[in-house]
Amino acid sequence: METLAAISRWLAKQHVVTWCVHQEGELWCANAFYLYDPERVAFYLLSEDKTRHAQMSGPQAPVAGTVNGQPKNVALIRGVQFKGEIRRLEEEESDAMRKRYTRRFPVALALSAPVWEIRLDELKFTDNTLGFGKKLHWLRAEQA
C-alpha cells in the first residue's frame, strides 16, 4: 500500500493524462485534464463522443498511457506508465463524477462532454528523485 500511496500523491499533483486505444489494427492517443481518485485508483476525464479516441473506445476498451512532468534535469524525472480500461460513465455515476471534476476544473462547467473513467490495473512509477531509474510498481490484481 505504501507504493500506491506514493504514486497517488504524485498523480494528485498532476493534471494531464495521455492514453492510447486500439481498434482493428489502428492506434490512437489523446490527452485530457484528469481528476484522480486514489480510492478507486482511476482517472476521470471529459471527452466528446465524436472524437476519434472515443469512437475507437466505444462504451468500454483496454487502454495504456502515461502521466509525466517536464523537468529539464534528468535527476528530477518522474512519470507514470499505466494500463487499464476506459469506459463511458452513465447517469448517476456520471453526474457524481462530473461534480467532482468541475470542482477541480471549473472551466469544464461550460462543457457537456461525457465523463469517462480510466480504471488503472497496472502502474509503473519512475522516480529519479529517489535514485536514477528508480521504479515503483503496483498491480490491481495483487490487491484482492
Side-chain angles (χ1 to χ4, degrees):
M1 196 51 86
E2 202 172 295
T3 295
L4 181 58
I7 296 170
S8 292
R9 280 191 300 275
W10 187 81
L11 285 172
K13 294 176 186 175
Q14 309 309 308
H15 57 274
V16 176
V17 62
T18 300
W19 75 99
C20 303
V21 291
H22 175 266
Q23 182 187 62
E24 299 175 6
E26 183 179 359
L27 292 169
W28 196 252
C29 297
N31 300 302
F33 286 105
Y34 71 82
L35 168 70
Y36 175 71
D37 185 327
E39 291 178 17
R40 294 181 183 181
V41 192
F43 297 125
Y44 295 90
L45 54 99
L46 302 182
S47 186
E48 295 287 350
D49 284 327
K50 65 184 176 190
T51 62
R52 188 172 182 177
H53 52 272
Q55 290 181 5
M56 289 174 70
S57 296
Q60 189 170 332
V63 296
T66 63
V67 176
N68 61 285
Q70 296 289 319
K72 292 183 180 184
N73 183 330
V74 71
L76 301 177
I77 289 174
R78 295 168 128 184
V80 166
Q81 294 167 279
F82 66 84
K83 74 175 187 174
E85 183 177 83
I86 189 167
R87 70 182 177 100
R88 188 179 193 274
L89 300 184
E90 302 293 340
E91 300 170 2
E92 297 86 25
E93 190 177 27
S94 175
D95 294 343
M97 273 307 154
R98 181 179 301 280
K99 286 178 186 172
R100 289 183 58 193
Y101 186 91
T102 56
R103 275 197 300 270
R104 182 163 189 207
F105 303 109
V107 70
L109 286 165
L111 302 175
S112 61
V115 180
W116 296 78
E117 175 190 67
I118 298 177
R119 188 197 71 218
L120 304 168
D121 294 325
E122 181 178 350
L123 293 166
K124 181 175 87 171
F125 182 40
T126 300
D127 188 350
N128 282 0
T129 67
L130 300 175
F132 185 75
K134 176 66 177 175
K135 311 270 193 274
L136 302 176
H137 296 269
W138 177 85
L139 292 170
R140 183 178 297 276
E142 292 179 355
Q143 307 309 306

